[in-house]
């Protein structure tokens, strides 16, 4: 607790003295250094003031700190923060936004199938993986897809990045190579023959340490692709362009994403509409688990999935009225830890590239390996082709026909 005038930290004794020696100052009045109040007493029929935890001498600063600590680690952090503001600090909560896709952490952690961790359903068609890189941890999510577009999160985790020991670039490469070894091992299906599925596509978020991600994807082949999500409030307010046709740069167009050829890097970069695919993920998590298009988790205690659920609900889609723009729809971060949400929507986009559809349609072919760079080894006169055309034109003699 600090003094509101000079920002000096109060001890418990100073807080008690401040409350015991307080003075009532009305609007338009000032208080002198000796404690006397100067100014006209306003004419009014009401008196209003705010009484918060600072004035409550039955509660110590240690008790308040303990309440703040518990609220920061509550399952429903939003409700806990609202309670602390309203009932402890007397700060009004006036939300000006409307939540579009409400997800409850406790309900999300209970969307489980009777399957152990690391086992794909019997009707699984393919597995995809999404990776979100950070300075200290790399979060990944593996999803098994059925033909009816049901997604089952069969495994997820995080790997430490030993940046202080190896340097951030070499540490990220080592972490990605460790993850690649795990990916190439595959995951078994619910069968007795020991069949394993190796993820067909692994999308790695290239927003952090982009050159490292590019280098790893080049050495690992087309199974591993760099991806970048763009949306309102992300990547310096840059949104993905609405692309519907291929050309010299855009080589592949999918649903709210497309593949861009990077000639110098000899790679395809997948540009993703993050707002669209986060909404898509939340819709799958809201779909009843017995309906097509639902997303489920492996069998575990609800507390084991609590961290994942908090990541998946760390952002919410809201509508907000902005003067001059009207109603603006955007995704707002309500908690800092959202890495598994980014990894999951990348895995869902990878599922689309593996022909997973809620509605069957003509499926575009995914991008192939970029052609190797053409290097001219000998000099060729720019007039040589023109000479050949001129000779063919002369030999044609179309005017004599």
């Amino acid at each position: 607790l600090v003094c509101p005038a000079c920002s000096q930290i109060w001890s418990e004794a100073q807080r008690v003295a401040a409350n015991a020696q307080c003075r009532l100052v009305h609007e338009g009045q000032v208080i002198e250094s000796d404690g006397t109040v100067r100014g006209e007493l306003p004419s009014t029929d009401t008196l209003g003031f705010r009484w918060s935890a600072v004035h409550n001498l039955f509660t110590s600063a240690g008790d308040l700190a303990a309440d703040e600590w518990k609220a920061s680690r509550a399952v429903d952090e939003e409700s806990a923060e609202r309670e602390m503001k309203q009932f402890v600090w007397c700060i009004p909560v006036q939300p000006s936004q409307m939540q579009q896709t409400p997800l409850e952490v406790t309900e999300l952690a209970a969307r489980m199938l009777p399957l152990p961790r690391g086992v794909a359903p019997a009707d699984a068609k393919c597995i995809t993986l999404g990776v979100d890189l950070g300075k200290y941890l790399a979060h990944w999510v593996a999803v098994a897809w059925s033909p009816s577009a049901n997604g089952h999160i069969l495994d997820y985790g995080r790997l430490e990045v030993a940046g202080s020991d190896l340097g951030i670039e070499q540490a990220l490469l080592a972490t990605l190579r460790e993850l690649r070894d795990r990916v190439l091992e595959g995951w078994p299906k619910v069968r007795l023959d020991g069949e394993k599925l190796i993820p067909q596509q692994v999308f790695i978020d290239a927003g952090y340490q982009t050159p490292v991600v590019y280098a790893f994807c080049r050495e690992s082949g087309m199974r591993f692709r760099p991806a970048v999500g763009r949306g309102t409030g992300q990547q310096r307010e840059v949104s993905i362009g609405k692309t519907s046709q291929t050309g010299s740069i855009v080589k592949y167009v999918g649903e709210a994403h497309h593949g861009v050829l990077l000639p110098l890097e000899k790679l395809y970069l997948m540009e993703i509409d993050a707002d669209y695919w986060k909404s898509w993920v939340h819709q799958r998590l809201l779909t009843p688990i017995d309906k097509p298009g639902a997303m489920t988790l492996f069998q575990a205690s609800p507390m084991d999935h609590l961290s994942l659920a908090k990541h998946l609900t760390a952002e919410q889609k809201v509508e907000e009225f902005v003067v001059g723009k009207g109603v603006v729809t955007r995704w707002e971060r309500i908690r800092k830890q959202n890495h598994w949400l980014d990894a999951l929507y990348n895995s869902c986009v990878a599922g689309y590239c593996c022909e997973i559809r809620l509605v069957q349609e003509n499926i575009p072919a995914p991008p192939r390996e970029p052609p190797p760079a053409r290097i001219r080894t000998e000099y060729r006169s720019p007039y040589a082709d023109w000479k050949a055309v001129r000779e063919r034109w002369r030999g044609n003699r179309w005017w004599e026909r």
Side-chain angles (χ1 to χ4, degrees), residues 66-77 80-81 84:
D67 292 339
E68 289 286 352
W69 186 88
K70 292 177 182 178
S72 66
R73 286 155 178 80
V75 174
D76 190 351
E77 292 185 12
E81 182 181 4
M84 291 297 296

Side-chain angles (χ1 to χ4, degrees), residues 304-380:
D304 291 339
H305 289 310
L306 182 59
S307 296
L308 174 68
K310 294 180 75 171
H311 277 241
L312 299 183
T313 58
E315 297 185 21
Q316 62 183 9
K317 187 178 180 180
V318 297
E319 285 186 355
E320 183 179 13
F321 180 80
V322 179
V323 178
K325 296 183 179 179
V327 178
V328 177
T329 302
R330 60 185 177 85
W331 278 85
E332 183 181 71
R333 180 184 296 184
I334 57 179
R335 282 188 293 273
K336 185 177 180 181
Q337 301 298 326
N338 66 340
H339 307 294
W340 272 317
L341 173 61
D342 292 341
L344 181 56
Y345 85 71
N346 273 290
S347 183
C348 292
V349 180
Y352 183 95
C353 293
C354 295
E355 303 181 2
I356 299 300
R357 300 290 189 276
L358 287 173
V359 179
Q360 296 299 322
E361 57 186 62
N362 293 327
I363 301 172
R368 298 180 178 179
E369 189 76 33
R374 297 178 61 184
I375 302 177
R376 180 174 293 176
T377 57
E378 61 180 7
Y379 175 77
R380 180 177 175 83

Side-chain angles (χ1 to χ4, degrees), residues 101-162:
T101 54
L103 282 177
E104 296 294 337
V105 173
T106 54
E107 295 179 1
L108 184 60
R111 295 178 59 89
M112 293 179 287
L113 294 181
L115 291 174
R117 183 171 195 157
V119 177
D123 62 342
K125 177 183 177 182
C126 64
I127 294 178
T128 60
L129 201 103
V131 186
D132 185 67
L133 296 180
K135 185 176 181 180
Y136 303 105
L137 292 171
H139 293 73
W140 58 273
V141 177
V143 181
W145 299 98
S146 67
S148 59
N150 286 68
H152 177 69
I153 301 176
L154 77 161
D155 204 356
Y156 61 89
R158 49 193 172 193
L159 300 174
E160 292 188 4
V161 180

Side-chain angles (χ1 to χ4, degrees), residues 115-116 119-122 188-193 195:
L115 291 174
V119 177
K189 297 178 68 174
V190 185
R191 290 180 180 176
L192 299 178
D193 54 5
E195 179 186 359

Side-chain angles (χ1 to χ4, degrees), residues 169-246:
E169 293 81 6
Q170 294 301 321
L172 280 175
L173 272 177
T175 301
L176 289 173
R177 288 165 180 164
E178 179 183 354
L179 180 62
R180 179 181 61 193
D181 295 339
R182 177 66 188 91
V183 167
L184 296 180
E185 290 179 4
W187 280 268
K189 297 178 68 174
V190 185
R191 290 180 180 176
L192 299 178
D193 54 5
E195 179 186 359
K196 285 190 175 182
L197 291 177
I198 299 177
Q200 292 186 10
Q201 289 288 289
V202 179
F203 279 19
I204 305 172
D205 192 342
Y208 177 70
Q209 291 292 334
T210 306
V212 175
V213 177
Y214 287 170
F216 172 78
C217 292
R218 275 194 299 267
E219 75 175 35
S220 302
M222 293 296 289
R223 189 186 304 271
F224 299 84
R225 297 183 187 273
V228 59
R230 307 189 189 278
T232 304
Q234 301 173 344
Q235 302 288 337
R236 300 180 182 178
E237 302 289 341
V238 176
S239 299
I240 186 173
K242 300 298 182 182
T243 304
S244 59
Q245 295 181 350
T246 59

